[in-house]
Amino acid sequence: MATIVRTSVLGIGANVLLAAFKAVVGMLTHSIAVTMDAVNNPSDAMSSVITIVGTKLAGKAPDRNHPLGYGRVEYLSATVISIIVLYAGVSSLIESVKGIVSPQTPSYTPTSLVIIAAAVVVKLVLGRHVKATGERVGSDSLVASGADALFDAVLSASTLAAAAAAVFITTGFAIEAWVVPPSAS
């Protein structure tokens, strides 16, 4: 249980820092893709909080009302995390359509590209660590959080590709609304 809590706390810290960096870059560059990516990180931190609470509850000893224990609470935690991811996907779809209908031209800089690239690397490392830890200790919630973080890294990489295209390829066509990442996981 301590390993699950420690891994979840690491996820909370990493996601809070990523949210702050991405929010600043998103606002400075007027990028809907980076801003939505920033909104995704607090929801990832919330998933880690749910994992901690679920793990603590699942570890409770059996009592009179629950003679077989509370172990199934972790399944509920994984389900709640899945619902958060689904809601985020729908929200991002709505924001993407708005961005496609009324596009805004972002103004990326090489520095913003470096920050986005660093966020991709952090999410990859975090996702692999959380998923591997979940598999090692048998935590479905950690495995789900780790898989979500890896998926987030792929989506953040698509944001990076759209941003790089905006900086290095002058087409006059903003593609970032087409690659807006989900706002939760």
Side-chain angles (χ1 to χ4, degrees):
M1 179 174 0
T3 301
I4 295 171
V5 171
R6 189 171 44 253
T7 303
S8 295
V9 169
L10 173 68
I12 292 168
N15 282 302
V16 167
L17 289 173
L18 284 172
F21 284 116
K22 290 177 186 178
V24 169
V25 170
M27 286 185 221
L28 292 175
T29 61
H30 308 290
S31 167
I32 186 173
V34 177
T35 302
M36 290 304 294
D37 203 9
V39 171
N40 176 45
N41 292 108
S43 63
D44 289 345
M46 177 66 87
S47 295
S48 294
V49 169
I50 292 168
T51 299
I52 291 170
V53 171
T55 299
K56 295 277 187 181
L57 289 174
K60 286 177 64 174
D63 58 26
R64 186 171 182 236
N65 292 328
H66 300 90
L68 300 176
Y70 293 83
R72 294 187 185 242
V73 170
E74 188 171 7
Y75 297 125
L76 289 173
S77 299
T79 301
V80 170
I81 292 169
S82 299
I83 291 168
I84 291 171
V85 170
L86 179 63
Y87 173 76
V90 171
S91 297
S92 291
L93 177 64
I94 291 167
E95 291 302 316
S96 292
V97 170
K98 287 179 186 176
I100 291 167
V101 172
S102 302
Q104 208 178 32
T105 305
S107 54
Y108 295 105
T109 64
T111 303
S112 63
L113 295 180
V114 169
I115 292 171
I116 297 167
V120 171
V121 171
V122 169
K123 273 299 204 180
L124 279 172
V125 171
L126 181 66
R128 289 180 56 125
H129 173 70
V130 171
K131 186 175 181 189
T133 302
E135 289 169 349
R136 183 171 45 84
V137 300
S139 170
D140 292 336
S141 294
L142 276 184
V143 171
S145 290
D148 181 50
L150 290 171
F151 185 65
D152 289 347
V154 171
L155 293 172
S156 292
S158 69
T159 299
L160 177 62
V167 169
F168 299 113
I169 302 171
T170 313
T171 63
F173 178 72
I175 63 169
E176 75 162 4
W178 296 88
V179 297
V180 171
S183 60
S185 73

